[in-house]
Amino acid sequence: MNFFNFDLKKLVMIGIVLALPLISINMQQRPQESHWLTTPFSLLASGVSETFFGFSHGVKSTTSMYIDLINIKKDSEHLQSQNNELNSRLQKMNELLVENERLRGLLNFKGQTKMNLVGAQVIGRDLVIDHNTITINKGTTEGLKSGQAVITTEGVLGYIFKADALTSHVMLITDRYAVVDGIVQRTRAHGIVEGKSQNGCSLKYVEKTEDVKEGDLVVTGGLDNIFPKGFPVAIVESVERKTFSVSLKVDLRPVVDPSKVEEVFVVVDAAKEDFGDKYAPQTATDAAATGEAPAPGATPAASPTTATTPATSPAPATSPAATPATKPQESRP
């Protein structure tokens, strides 16, 4: 056999012969030293380890961020729920505060007057456009009856035209069947307040020569002890002097907005209460004395010595305010 004809056995023998010196050299090196043969394997292992560490760290960071986002969302929903609950409580507290102030004003008003008053709450409103009425939660069992005046702390609201056992129906002064005896506070000009529309009324039977101006306050005349005397009814919005009429055409705006009323007083006995000039607009002289700004549209109140006597009023001898209950009951459908 020719020696130069290589086969597998010869190749293995040659590899062993060449590897023995290398192995012996490597065994003679110190453990802390690395051989150049192991360097590629070390670099490859290091690269694989670094790649795996980076991948695992990225997965861990992404998972942690996702969990944090879930927790943040839960915390946000919890905080939003708490915020809504606190806002709801705040609104209830504000409502209770407003109601407390309103009821305290009612108690103060009742305590400062000698009238016999019965407090009631508004529980219903008339939806018929042709009539302006409300329903209160007190009736004949509380001593109420037709014809009794209904007021608030700000002014006149109307009077009872039908009383049931537990409820009463109140006709507002803006109803077209309502009539209330009225006086212009500044000049004492007498007239009859009659309902005209949903938000307005008028002052009838006022002589053409009377001094009535826009912004004047109309108060109750106190006839027949139904309403207390001098209690606010309405504000003069416009005055028209017609050529062929002996009376002024006076349009009024009620001082009380019926749509905002929640509690009322029924006047069982006015006890001849006279508020005098308590509700008179503040004049410039009074404002200078008290250091306060005068009320808008305020005009000096006339002296009682110059007041027009009711005898000169063209109102009929029997005032409609004396029998407020009979007219609505006969006229209402």
Side-chain angles (χ1 to χ4, degrees), residues 9 45 63 77 106 125 135 146 184 192 207 214 216 223 232 236 249 279 297 323 332:
K9 291 181 179 180
T63 305
E77 291 176 352
L106 294 174
R125 303 181 189 277
T135 304
S146 299
V184 178
I192 300 297
E207 290 186 352
E214 182 180 347
D216 282 344
L223 295 181
V236 176
K249 183 179 182 298
Y279 292 94
T323 57
R332 290 177 66 87

Side-chain angles (χ1 to χ4, degrees), residues 137-153:
N137 65 342
K138 297 292 177 66
T140 55
T141 56
E142 301 289 339
L144 305 188
K145 59 183 180 180
S146 299
Q148 291 177 333
V150 180
I151 64 175
T152 68
T153 56

Side-chain angles (χ1 to χ4, degrees), residues 3 7-21:
F3 183 79
D7 56 8
L8 182 60
K9 291 181 179 180
K10 291 182 179 179
L11 291 175
V12 172
M13 292 298 295
I14 293 172
I16 293 174
V17 172
L18 294 176
L20 287 176

